[in-house]
Amino acid sequence: WSPEEELILTKLTFVGSGASLCALVVTLMLFTVLDIPKSDRTSIHKNLFIALICAQVILLCSSSAIHNKVACTLVAALLHLFFMAAFSWMLVEGLLLWSKVVAVNLSEDRHMKYYYLIGWGLPVLIVTITLASASGKYSADGYCWLSVQNGVIWGFAGPVIFIIMVNIMILSRVVIITISTAKRRSIMLAMGTSPAEQAYEQIRAAVKAVLVLLPILGLTWLCGVLVPFSIVMAYIFILLNSLQGLFIFLIYGVYNTEVRSTVNRIKERRKALNFSNCASSRPSSSVTSSRPVSFPLGTTPSQEEETTNTYTPDPGKEEERTTGQLSIPCVPERLENPSSQPFKGTHQHGKDPPPSGTDDSLPAGCSLHVPMELEFTTSCFPRSPAPQKSHGLVYVD
């Protein structure tokens, strides 16, 4: 490759790895902080994220150790270890997928001790054997990575190709099951659909399964085998694998149903907490009517039952009709015959004239006092309900 192509590939690697590193850190924080139900699958996801984060950090810092042979060998060994651990956890992802989808093993027995043995024990074993057989030529010249000249690279490429082959077989089986399930569901739920629509549903289910499983099964690394044959494959390999962490964040962080449901539960819990805080901060007594009501000085709410009639035949009780009244602004004109202009919402029996003591002239700026029965509930003034009258009632809703 030309120096220009090397420079472009290097920049693409650093940009993609930086974005993947940030995305992986955020995804790991989501799986750690949120109250996601604990299971083998979530534990495997977190171990895969940790391995990829460590590998990306060492990869981004590997250029500073090129001029030191010992440091470069150490960086190459760490890269070998963590990338091998990432692939080992991808193998564990495939094995768990096989047990749940293909073998349909729905038992709740946890096998994490075996998964940890594969995910971390197998990489340590492979790196140890490779270092012992390298005979002093472990890292390449000019790169802090495994040497190609003496075949040390196969200490990484061999296990990776094996894991990719196993995961391809698992993915193929899962896609076949997904297509058959989609076919049965379309037949059961949509009897009148055309064959074209059924085929579209099956293709959509298969594509969705492939896109969801590709980032965690490591199948995009298969392009790395073809990198020496074409520069185009090198670009494809860099773009797919340097952005692996970003794909994982989108699929298993943003669009993950467990993560989204957990976030929704947290939002609902905060809304309920805020509502309870607001409810507890309210005063203990309140009036159900939204209209402000005030009583004259020296009166009590128990006296409001005396004010239910719009007009009282007995003139001797004229003074008692001033308690518990609702003040309504009057019109600036003389009301010479109040009985001829009934108020909206009042009911009069007959055409009895107003009491003789009532002044029918109202000056400007006055308030017309309409006796009304005030019905409200309050915890501060417990009382018995007012007796119902048979005529002349005006209610405050």
Side-chain angles (χ1 to χ4, degrees), residues 196-213:
E197 294 177 351
Q198 295 180 7
Y200 170 75
E201 180 66 22
Q202 297 170 21
I203 293 174
R204 189 185 68 84
V207 172
K208 181 180 178 180
V210 171
L211 292 179
V212 168
L213 297 176

Side-chain angles (χ1 to χ4, degrees), residues 374-397:
L374 304 176
E375 276 293 309
F376 65 91
T377 58
T378 173
S379 60
C380 297
F381 302 98
R383 56 185 176 82
S384 59
Q388 298 291 332
K389 302 296 182 179
S390 60
H391 62 277
L393 300 181
V394 179
Y395 291 95
V396 175
D397 185 12

Side-chain angles (χ1 to χ4, degrees), residues 10 14 61-73 75 139-145:
T10 302
F14 275 86
C61 301
S62 61
S63 59
S64 60
I66 294 177
H67 304 289
N68 190 330
K69 184 65 176 178
V70 177
C72 192
T73 302
V75 168
S139 60
D141 296 330
Y143 298 95
C144 295
W145 184 232

